[in-house]
Amino acid sequence: MEKKTVDLQDEVKQFIFVHIKSVAELEVLLFIFRQPTKRWTSRFLSQELRSNPSYAESLLQQLAKTGLLEKTESSKEYCFNTSLDSEIRIIQEIERLYQTRRLSLINLIYESPTDKIRTFADAFKIRN
């Protein structure tokens, strides 16, 4: 049986549809992805991004729910989930697209499937 190859662009679309609900989530993911070993609190992240700590916390919690971030034992710090080998290549491509074709990527986020499709896709989220 021949293995079907998946276009990276299709993987990017699927990743966005499953894991990213807003541009803010994408920006936080890329910000943290650039420093994968650093641990972030909502307070420190909010200072870096110039937002309020409760909003930063909600973004961190959402990304942790999808499995893209890990929460430390103290539950106050978050870091990139470095065990996501297959997703790293996709996130690298998303980061490249964010630098070169930002508007296209933002449009993709806003074109995300309806809630019914997202609910179905949630079944395939990365779990810790």
Side-chain angles (χ1 to χ4, degrees):
M1 181 176 227
E2 191 175 310
K3 186 176 179 180
K4 182 181 175 186
T5 58
V6 178
D7 182 352
L8 185 58
Q9 296 303 321
D10 291 339
E11 289 179 335
V12 166
K13 287 178 186 176
Q14 183 63 26
F15 183 92
I16 295 291
F17 289 162
V18 171
H19 300 289
I20 305 297
K21 294 180 181 173
S22 69
V23 175
E25 279 184 20
L26 176 64
E27 289 176 343
V28 168
L29 173 64
L30 294 177
F31 184 80
I32 291 173
F33 179 72
R34 290 179 196 115
Q35 301 175 61
T37 58
K38 187 169 175 79
R39 300 200 178 276
W40 298 92
T41 63
S42 57
R43 182 181 205 151
F44 188 68
L45 184 66
S46 71
Q47 290 170 349
E48 290 290 316
L49 299 177
R50 293 174 176 73
S51 67
N52 88 32
S54 62
Y55 183 62
E57 180 66 27
S58 69
L59 293 170
L60 290 167
Q61 285 178 359
Q62 181 59 36
L63 290 168
K65 250 191 244 185
T66 66
L68 296 170
L69 300 183
E70 292 180 311
K71 234 181 189 185
T72 61
E73 294 168 14
S74 70
S75 296
K76 292 184 181 184
E77 295 178 328
Y78 297 81
C79 63
F80 182 73
N81 184 350
T82 56
S83 68
L84 304 174
D85 295 332
S86 60
E87 286 79 8
I88 289 175
R89 179 177 60 87
I90 298 168
I91 297 170
Q92 288 170 333
E93 177 64 8
I94 290 170
E95 184 166 31
R96 186 189 70 75
L97 290 170
Y98 196 71
Q99 297 303 316
T100 61
R101 297 180 55 205
R102 183 173 300 190
L103 188 56
S104 296
L105 197 54
I106 290 170
N107 285 335
L108 182 61
I109 292 169
Y110 288 117
E111 292 170 2
S112 288
T114 63
D115 287 339
K116 284 184 181 181
I117 296 171
R118 184 174 298 278
T119 301
F120 175 74
D122 283 348
F124 299 98
K125 283 186 178 175
I126 301 163
R127 304 285 182 211
N128 287 339

